[in-house]
């Protein structure tokens, strides 16, 4: 039986493999499509499987930048000759890029017909561009450290976890930003109560902070932290034949959504190729 957990175990692999294959016909000469993509396991699968298949089908070359962060480099390039044709990043950075005129607001069915077939959440008013899939942000923890499975976000503040808990550098990472907002909801008047959120952060010191989820995975696997903020597929991939002493918990107060979003740069001259690469989301099942 296919379950959410089984599907998410392949989160950075099979989900990514389904995003770039929409049928289309390109009439222009072979072009180079400049994109961004994560490193780690995601990047390995993209470069070994997904991108070569896309190049073969659409008769183009894909140049993939995996050197995060991407936005500063896009900001530094001319808008009429952007460094990237397709920007893959999280929702928060897509919104920032939209306000600066670096990416499109929406990709419509008129521009790319199969946008009409994607799930509504993927092109909702909360998304700039098209979301290719989503995963839950919760708590990952070691199962060999005598810990009770966490049931609340407040469990991360347990004194026993001093120096052995982890989160993210807030200005850099969207999970860190989501965690901060959740603390505002738990300890204050809502997601935007930053005063209460920052006060709640004081309870988490000492805490280890990283700027990328791949680093959090490594810290959990090496037991450098016993509990940390992470997306579910970053833990579920270590089940089955790849079993490790880690598990994922969804706090009772709710989880936050980590969307992977593709968007295109208005100044790119690779219009047909970049729209094809973004709009293949109609082939993807929702992981929500």
């Amino acid at each position: 039986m296919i379950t959410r957990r089984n599907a998410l175990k392949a989160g950075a692999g099979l989900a990514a493999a389904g995003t770039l294959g929409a049928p289309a016909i390109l009439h222009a000469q072979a072009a180079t499509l400049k994109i961004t993509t994560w490193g780690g396991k995601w990047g390995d699968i993209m470069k070994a499987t997904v991108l070569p298949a896309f190049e073969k089908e659409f008769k183009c070359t894909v140049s993939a930048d995996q050197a995060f962060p991407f936005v500063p480099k896009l900001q530094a390039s001319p808008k009429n000759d952007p460094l990237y044709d397709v920007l893959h990043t999280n929702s928060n950075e897509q919104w920032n890029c939209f306000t600066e005129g670096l990416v499109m607001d929406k990709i419509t069915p008129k521009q790319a017909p199969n946008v009409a077939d994607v799930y509504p959440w993927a092109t909702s008013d909360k998304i700039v561009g098209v979301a290719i899939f989503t995963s839950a942000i919760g708590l990952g923890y070691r199962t060999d450290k005598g810990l009770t499975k966490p049931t609340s976000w407040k469990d991360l503040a347990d004194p026993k976890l001093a120096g052995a808990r982890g989160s993210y550098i807030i200005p850099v990472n969207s999970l860190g930003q989501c965690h901060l907002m959740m603390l505002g909801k738990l300890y204050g008047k809502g997601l935007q109560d930053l005063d209460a959120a920052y006060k709640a952060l004081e309870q988490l010191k000492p805490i280890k902070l990283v700027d990328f989820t791949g680093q959090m995975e490594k810290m959990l696997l090496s037991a450098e932290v016993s509990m940390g903020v992470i997306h579910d597929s970053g833990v579920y991939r270590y089940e089955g034949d790849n079993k490790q002493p880690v598990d994922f918990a969804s706090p009772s107060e709710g989880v936050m959504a980590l969307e992977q979003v593709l968007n295109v740069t208005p100044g790119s001259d690779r219009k047909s190729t970049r729209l094809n690469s973004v709009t293949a989301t109609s082939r993807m099942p929702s992981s929500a």
Side-chain angles (χ1 to χ4, degrees), residues 158-174:
D158 189 327
K160 293 185 296 186
L161 293 172
R165 52 182 157 239
S167 191
Y168 302 88
I169 300 171
I170 293 169
V172 175
N173 189 279
S174 60

Side-chain angles (χ1 to χ4, degrees), residues 69-84:
F70 310 123
V71 174
K73 290 181 279 187
L74 180 59
Q75 290 170 322
S77 66
K79 288 186 178 180
N80 61 352
D81 186 20
L83 181 62
Y84 308 124

Side-chain angles (χ1 to χ4, degrees), residues 33-45:
L33 186 71
K34 299 169 292 184
I35 72 170
T36 63
T37 187
W38 304 128
K41 295 181 184 297
W42 175 294
D44 292 343
I45 292 174

Side-chain angles (χ1 to χ4, degrees), residues 4-28:
R4 171 177 167 80
R5 174 171 289 216
N6 289 335
L8 286 171
K9 283 162 61 178
L14 297 180
T19 64
L20 296 178
I25 298 175
L26 298 183
H27 298 290

Side-chain angles (χ1 to χ4, degrees), residues 46-61:
M46 288 289 286
K47 288 196 168 184
T49 305
V50 180
L51 298 185
F54 183 82
E55 291 174 325
K56 181 178 180 180
E57 182 170 355
F58 297 107
K59 298 188 172 47
C60 67
T61 299

